[in-house]
Amino acid sequence: MSGEGAKPRIYVKVRPERLGAVIGPQGEVKAEIMRRTGTVITVDTENSMVIVEPEAEGVPPVNMMKAAEVVKAISLGFPPEKAFRLLEEDQILVVVDLKQIVGDSQNHLRRIKGRIIGEGGRARRAIEEMTDTYINVGEHEVAIIGDYERAMAAKQAIEMLAEGRMHSTVYRHLERIMREIKRRERLRMWAREEM
């Protein structure tokens, strides 16, 4: 930001091959993000960059951040309809960089991605269903969309698989975590009802 009265801006680097998905057919995706967040989105195709600005004064900064997160999720490979979940209350985007776990070796990355996806996509689907999250396995990262506790549980499961733990061990661990999360949610709901 520069000077007095300068509009705040958020810059999001987008993979060139995903710019079309951010814009959408006839600009529908971009228009939907702008409508739901009160932002103006400019797509700089030359530099593969998306610029998010408030549509008017008084647009909450959180709306700009949400718009930027949706763009980032689409850039990471999520279809727009899944990325829009980030516009809901309490939804976050978590990214696990597999290179930080297994290094730069393409063979290691391929093998680890195979473990995370599982045969016919079963492992990824199982983690998504257990944690009520969306998971996208990219080139060298795994992106997760969900509420904070569930996204962190999915992240932990993915890291365990990347470190070589057995699928059955990871699922058992995830079941324990999810039981605890659901128990806490019930307690919070009960406490609210008692008020």
Side-chain angles (χ1 to χ4, degrees):
M1 255 193 294
S2 60
E4 283 296 308
K7 263 189 180 179
R9 285 191 175 118
I10 298 177
Y11 295 88
V12 185
K13 189 82 176 139
V14 176
R15 293 189 176 138
E17 69 275 12
R18 296 296 293 164
L19 279 172
V22 170
I23 297 165
Q26 283 89 49
E28 289 168 13
V29 174
K30 184 179 113 168
E32 178 77 358
I33 300 168
M34 293 191 319
R35 185 184 65 74
R36 291 177 63 182
T37 58
T39 57
V40 174
I41 292 174
T42 310
V43 179
D44 174 355
T45 50
E46 205 170 296
N47 297 305
S48 198
M49 188 73 71
V50 168
I51 301 129
V52 181
E53 300 174 280
E55 185 179 51
E57 253 181 72
V59 169
V62 70
N63 285 24
M64 289 176 57
M65 289 161 61
K66 288 246 181 217
E69 287 283 88
V70 171
V71 169
K72 186 175 175 188
I74 296 170
S75 176
L76 287 166
F78 282 107
E81 55 279 4
K82 287 188 175 179
F84 285 148
R85 180 172 170 181
L86 288 162
L87 297 173
E88 294 169 23
E89 194 74 28
D90 301 330
Q91 298 296 302
I92 64 165
L93 175 66
V94 177
V95 181
V96 179
D97 185 350
L98 296 175
K99 283 184 175 179
Q100 290 185 338
I101 300 170
V102 297
D104 284 338
S105 160
Q106 287 306 309
N107 285 341
H108 280 339
L109 283 170
R110 231 187 334 275
R111 189 174 51 77
I112 293 306
K113 284 181 355 185
R115 286 181 54 80
I116 293 165
I117 294 167
E119 200 175 312
R122 274 202 293 268
R124 189 196 76 222
R125 222 175 9 260
I127 297 169
E128 280 184 325
E129 286 168 7
M130 289 171 85
T131 58
D132 186 29
T133 57
Y134 293 141
I135 297 170
N136 188 72
V137 181
E139 219 169 285
H140 62 82
E141 72 285 305
V142 178
I144 305 157
I145 295 175
D147 74 39
Y148 180 80
E149 285 188 317
R150 286 175 163 79
M152 291 322 248
K155 175 182 188 272
Q156 200 174 19
I158 284 157
E159 287 169 344
M160 287 171 75
L161 286 174
E163 289 162 1
R165 303 270 177 75
M166 287 173 58
H167 284 83
S168 57
T169 305
V170 173
Y171 298 152
R172 277 197 305 273
H173 176 75
L174 210 44
E175 281 169 1
R176 274 196 309 275
I177 290 175
M178 290 313 296
R179 266 198 307 273
E180 183 56 33
I181 287 172
K182 287 174 181 165
R183 189 183 69 77
R184 281 197 302 267
E185 284 172 352
R186 279 194 302 274
L187 285 173
R188 279 195 297 266
M189 271 175 50
W190 181 72
R192 274 198 300 269
E193 286 168 9
E194 293 294 300
M195 286 178 171

